[in-house]
Amino acid sequence: MGTAGATWTRAALGTGLTLLTGVLLTGCGESGAKDGPATASRTGSGTPSPSASPEVAPPEDLCAQLVSYWSREALDQDSYGDYQSMGMSNGQYEILVKVVDAARAEEKRKGEEAAELLIDRRARELCAERYRDGAPSGGPWQ
């Protein structure tokens, strides 16, 4: 069979891997997936994820969703985790730290429900402030 058979096999394998990757990525974009970060269901906003919508959400909305999700995850932990593994920029991570610190203090004073409300409010406020003039200009990590 020689070289022609090996080339055909590599081409078929490459096509198969490409199709499999496409199927997996499509499945990851579903809104409300049980294993994914279902921000809309946790915050009660009911808005679809950006990948499920033909419109792209403004950066301040994406920032607020990301910060709110990870703030809830970090609220009961001693550390915040690595901002890159969370898919955040350095600036978004700085917002996360501020939001979680405030939410922890609020939780001690007024309870868990008050902390949840504070997370949503402060994430939206700080992200709106960060993106008020468009995208930050310090590189993608900023």
Side-chain angles (χ1 to χ4, degrees), residues 25-84:
L25 289 176
T26 301
C28 291
E30 291 182 35
S31 177
K34 292 183 188 213
D35 295 328
T39 305
S41 64
R42 290 187 75 143
T43 62
S45 67
T47 42
S49 69
S51 61
S53 174
E55 299 175 16
V56 176
E60 60 272 14
D61 290 348
L62 294 175
C63 172
Q65 290 174 2
L66 192 62
V67 169
S68 292
Y69 174 80
W70 285 112
S71 293
R72 285 181 174 80
E73 293 294 315
L75 189 58
D76 295 326
Q77 300 174 11
D78 291 334
S79 67
Y80 299 98
D82 175 50
Y83 73 95
Q84 292 174 330

Side-chain angles (χ1 to χ4, degrees), residues 18 24 34-35 84-87 98 106 114 125 129 141:
T18 301
L24 291 174
K34 292 183 188 213
D35 295 328
Q84 292 174 330
S85 67
M86 295 178 194
K98 290 177 186 177
E106 185 76 358
E125 291 169 356
E129 181 181 316
W141 58 90

